[in-house]
Amino acid sequence: MAKAKKAEVAEIKVTLVKSTIAVLPQHKKVVEALGLKKVNSFRIHKANPCILGMIDKVKYLVKVENV
């Protein structure tokens, strides 16, 4: 029996482009959970449903690029 190929998971670069000073407390926690601290900080994540859902919640604060 042949082994199944593993699906390649795309990587995305998430950059914080707007301050979290005047946003909802839940959204601040989401940004922190994404690993973003200061404006223009970025993290590279795998594009799985959990991360994409978090990005969708704070899409007005972040910029997303494919890597």
Side-chain angles (χ1 to χ4, degrees):
M1 183 181 272
K3 291 184 177 180
K5 292 183 181 178
K6 290 185 178 180
E8 291 289 327
V9 178
E11 290 188 337
I12 53 175
K13 178 180 176 182
V14 183
T15 307
L16 185 63
V17 294
K18 189 175 175 187
S19 175
T20 59
I21 289 174
V23 299
L24 295 172
Q26 293 172 346
H27 291 189
K28 286 183 183 182
K29 290 179 183 178
V30 170
V31 169
E32 185 179 324
L34 284 170
L36 305 172
K37 296 182 180 184
K38 297 180 180 180
V39 176
N40 292 326
S41 65
F42 69 91
R43 288 288 304 259
I44 296 177
H45 292 283
K46 295 190 187 267
N48 60 34
C50 179
I51 296 295
L52 294 176
M54 293 167 72
I55 290 170
D56 191 49
K57 283 219 176 216
V58 294
K59 60 187 168 194
Y60 63 99
L61 296 173
V62 297
K63 178 176 73 171
V64 181
E65 303 171 24
N66 289 328
V67 176

